[in-house]
Amino acid sequence: MATLPVYPWRLAPDGLATRRQLRAAGLRPGGQDVVAQLERPRRRRTPLTAFLYRVDRAKPVRPMTPAKHAALDRANTARRTCPACRADAGYVIPVSLGMCAPCAYPEAP
């Protein structure tokens, strides 16, 4: 098995990009294999690693269909709905509380 070339942080050659960089350009890896990796050193910890893909082999991002858009809207609405009072909190309910702030802290002023 061949090892991947490793580049230092910010020194990757042109034509290679991370997933986030591809996404910002409206692209996706499209099933291609990782061609290299980027390492960012950290003090007293293992370095951060990012995988690099070839930009010329990347494919355009698939467009959002109406069904996917509707499903995403329903999922976000469910994340904002309090299970205790069934009201839309107007923000995403924290997992740590499991309910909106007025239901979690009823005696707060």
Side-chain angles (χ1 to χ4, degrees), residues 71-85:
L72 188 60
D73 285 342
R74 287 192 305 271
N76 285 330
T77 301
R79 292 178 68 197
R80 288 191 314 265
T81 304
C82 176
C85 64

Side-chain angles (χ1 to χ4, degrees), residues 32-95:
Q32 65 174 303
D33 291 331
V34 174
V35 294
Q37 69 182 30
L38 205 59
E39 283 192 354
R40 179 177 178 218
R42 300 189 298 175
R43 292 183 183 173
R44 294 184 223 118
R45 292 188 283 178
T46 59
L48 292 174
T49 303
F51 296 114
L52 298 172
Y53 301 90
R54 289 182 51 175
V55 176
D56 60 344
R57 289 189 186 171
K59 296 180 180 177
V61 175
R62 294 183 187 120
M64 181 79 80
T65 64
K68 284 185 180 180
H69 192 68
L72 188 60
D73 285 342
R74 287 192 305 271
N76 285 330
T77 301
R79 292 178 68 197
R80 288 191 314 265
T81 304
C82 176
C85 64
R86 306 301 300 165
D88 186 350
Y91 54 88
V92 175
I93 306 284
V95 177

